[in-house]
Amino acid sequence: MEKAWLDGLAAVVAEAGRLAEDIARQGFDTQFKNPDERRDPVTTADLACDAFLKERLLALLPEAGWLSEETKDRPDRLEKRWVWIVDPIDGTREFVRRIPEYAVSVALARDGEPVAGAVVNPATGDLFLGAVGVGAWRNGKPITCSRDRGERLTILGSRSEMNRGEFEPFADVLDVRAVGSIAYKLALVAAGEADGTFSLGPKHEWDIAAGVALVLAAGGQVHDGAGRPFRFNRPNTLTRGIVAATREAHADLALLLERHAPRRA
């Protein structure tokens, strides 16, 4: 994959991030996908970024299919060799609350395999870009999924999962730091900002595909909660969780999860 093509992808994702921030400054409307429980917010910024990304990304690769959290799914994507997998704003709850831990997340998969990923935090302008087998960059500078580890692993955890007590079994063995968007967490791990991240509950493909590509491109380890490599563009977009780590921390994190993670049906 040519770097010039990747730079084109990065430019589109960066522009989508600027669009999200422009809308945030101007004001936006918020609705809920589950109105009775007021869960899963979606804003006019999510929808505007989705429309922008669909137009620009399909222009960049017209033969690709399209899978996005904010677009009604179409089965014809399953017939495509290439597919864009998009979350126009991952971490909408943080976006609504103006916590700067949300992200525009775009992945490209070929024959189900993650090929490239781009993640931008619109609040900070921090842009992560990677292509599997080519390399990964943060704001144009190369990154590797590697870091010197301390006595205990530093893990980025979901704020909502922490509030539900899902990290309590690991309190004595991990240092856990709350960060919003899973795409942003994976990007930070790819850049060596933490030893790893994990979520043992189901995740949609659009939540994680770009981050998976970034971790792999940066030389890290990533798999689902059952230890299997990810394949995308499936009829059922839900995956069995995610575990991502630096190459130094992966084996130890896997062992800690085996010992301390609650058993799931």
Side-chain angles (χ1 to χ4, degrees):
M1 181 169 287
E2 296 181 359
K3 185 62 164 59
W5 190 92
L6 287 170
D7 289 341
L9 169 60
V12 171
V13 174
E15 192 169 348
R18 290 191 291 271
L19 173 62
E21 288 305 282
D22 286 344
I23 294 173
R25 285 189 290 269
Q26 296 164 8
F28 54 87
D29 295 329
T30 304
Q31 297 180 335
F32 293 89
K33 297 176 184 178
N34 296 285
D36 293 339
E37 300 178 20
R38 296 184 66 81
R39 290 192 300 114
D40 299 328
V42 58
T43 72
T44 46
D46 292 84
L47 301 178
C49 287
D50 186 62
F52 170 83
L53 288 166
K54 187 173 185 180
E55 178 183 355
R56 294 290 296 274
L57 293 172
L58 290 178
L60 192 63
L61 190 65
E63 64 267 35
W66 182 260
L67 175 61
S68 168
E69 179 174 14
E70 307 304 345
T71 303
K72 184 177 179 180
D73 196 11
R74 291 172 48 126
D76 61 355
R77 67 176 170 83
L78 301 172
E79 303 168 3
K80 304 285 189 176
R81 185 178 187 195
W82 298 85
V83 61
W84 292 109
I85 305 175
V86 173
D87 194 338
I89 300 181
D90 183 56
T92 301
R93 280 174 290 194
E94 282 76 17
F95 176 80
V96 170
R97 295 167 61 190
R98 307 309 298 145
I99 298 172
E101 297 170 359
Y102 46 93
V104 177
S105 175
V106 173
L108 181 65
R110 179 181 61 206
D111 298 328
E113 300 285 345
V115 171
V119 171
V120 66
N121 180 334
T124 64
D126 210 8
L127 175 64
F128 304 81
L129 177 69
V132 179
V134 178
W137 302 266
R138 180 181 191 176
N139 301 326
K141 298 180 179 180
I143 56 174
T144 57
C145 188
S146 174
R147 75 194 300 257
D148 294 332
R149 50 163 299 175
E151 185 175 339
R152 302 208 307 181
L153 297 180
T154 298
I155 299 298
L156 305 182
S158 159
R159 185 172 286 105
S160 58
E161 290 175 6
M162 291 177 72
N163 290 339
R164 292 196 297 266
E166 295 185 21
F167 282 86
E168 289 180 3
F170 306 96
D172 295 332
V173 293
L174 296 174
D175 290 327
V176 183
R177 177 161 63 94
V179 175
S181 156
I182 182 64
Y184 187 45
K185 286 194 283 284
L186 289 164
L188 291 172
V189 171
E193 291 288 321
D195 295 302
T197 186
F198 65 87
S199 179
L200 302 181
K203 295 291 179 186
H204 282 285
E205 291 186 13
W206 50 72
D207 296 318
I208 62 170
V212 167
L214 285 172
V215 171
L216 292 174
Q221 301 283 332
V222 61
H223 51 76
D224 72 11
R228 299 173 301 196
F230 286 102
R231 289 191 63 83
F232 296 115
N233 195 29
R234 292 176 175 267
N236 181 357
T237 63
L238 279 174
T239 69
R240 293 184 61 182
I242 186 168
V243 179
T246 64
R247 49 189 177 229
E248 295 90 352
H250 177 257
D252 287 343
L253 180 58
L255 183 61
L256 288 172
L257 288 171
E258 183 178 345
R259 289 177 176 174
H260 296 278
R263 299 298 177 188
R264 292 177 181 263

